[in-house]
Amino acid sequence: MTTVVIIVAVVLLAALVFFLVRGRQTGGRGLQRRFGPEYERTVARHDGDTKAAEHELAERVKLHGSLSEQPLAPGARETYVRRWAEVQEKFIDSPRDAVVEADALLAQLAHDRGFPAGDSFEEQTAALSVHHAEQVDGYRRVHTAVRGQGGTEEMRKALIESRALFDVLLADAPEEPATTGRPETKGSAAA
């Protein structure tokens, strides 16, 4: 009878270990799927320590996962699109100034969408990485270029990559309410 109890205890212990290990791996895979390239970047920053990287990413999710992106004010989307076009045009004559403006524009757009203010770049990119992990690296590259690291080609690539975050922040923005008063007023005044 004691042999049966020992065998049952060993089987239960093995099952418990199996589920604990499997649960830990699923959490890591879940974070890896959620964060994509940001997961690899964080692991590299922790010198390959996946446990430390996963802890950091899990903390980001706890801090910023419940953040809900805010709608843009009426007319803001068009203003942002116009300002980005101006940044791109400025790049031809003054790449550094264009990258500085792109960095500020992305910080403001993220803030307007409800992410932490651009005062703390690390906090803002941490929050952005929870919601837009695939696009946040371009923003980091622009921010690095602002600090004078890299030549014109690096600035060009950074600006191109950062456009992905700009686009997703605009595309994810809830639709602004349509205004009906202005067109009718113009039509009435012309008649």
Side-chain angles (χ1 to χ4, degrees):
M1 185 72 167
T2 53
T3 307
V4 172
V5 171
I6 293 172
I7 291 172
V8 168
V10 168
V11 168
L12 288 174
L13 183 60
L16 178 64
V17 168
F18 171 77
F19 286 113
L20 286 175
V21 168
R22 184 172 174 245
R24 177 175 245 182
Q25 289 174 345
T26 303
R29 281 192 216 131
L31 288 171
Q32 194 169 11
R33 263 192 311 278
R34 179 177 190 156
F35 283 95
E38 184 69 11
Y39 179 91
E40 299 304 324
R41 182 189 161 285
T42 307
V43 168
R45 203 166 44 74
H46 284 281
D47 297 323
D49 185 350
T50 56
K51 187 174 180 178
E54 289 173 1
H55 177 73
E56 178 184 328
L57 294 172
E59 286 300 312
R60 287 187 203 178
V61 172
K62 282 182 194 174
L63 285 171
H64 306 292
S66 63
L67 184 144
S68 61
E69 295 182 52
Q70 303 300 309
L72 293 172
R77 179 177 285 118
E78 292 78 21
T79 301
Y80 276 114
V81 169
R82 178 187 47 75
R83 287 179 61 197
W84 190 268
E86 291 169 359
V87 165
Q88 289 177 309
E89 288 175 25
K90 180 178 268 190
F91 187 84
I92 296 166
D93 295 325
S94 182
R96 179 128 353 255
D97 290 343
V99 169
V100 168
E101 285 185 34
D103 183 53
L105 187 61
L106 286 166
Q108 184 62 50
L109 176 56
H111 177 68
D112 286 355
R113 290 300 315 276
F115 291 95
D119 298 340
S120 171
F121 177 75
E122 290 305 318
E123 183 182 0
Q124 190 176 53
T125 54
L128 284 164
S129 74
V130 171
H131 298 273
H132 302 293
E134 296 289 328
Q135 296 85 16
V136 74
D137 199 49
Y139 182 28
R140 281 194 184 97
R141 287 188 69 183
V142 161
H143 195 72
T144 300
V146 165
R147 294 183 302 196
Q149 299 170 358
T152 303
E153 182 60 18
E154 287 79 15
M155 287 187 276
R156 184 187 70 78
K157 287 179 182 177
L159 193 62
I160 290 169
E161 282 186 34
S162 67
R163 176 65 191 246
L165 180 62
F166 178 80
D167 288 343
V168 77
L169 287 173
L170 284 182
D172 286 348
E175 292 299 318
E176 298 170 356
T179 55
T180 56
R182 288 185 123 161
E184 293 172 359
T185 304
K186 287 182 181 177
S188 300

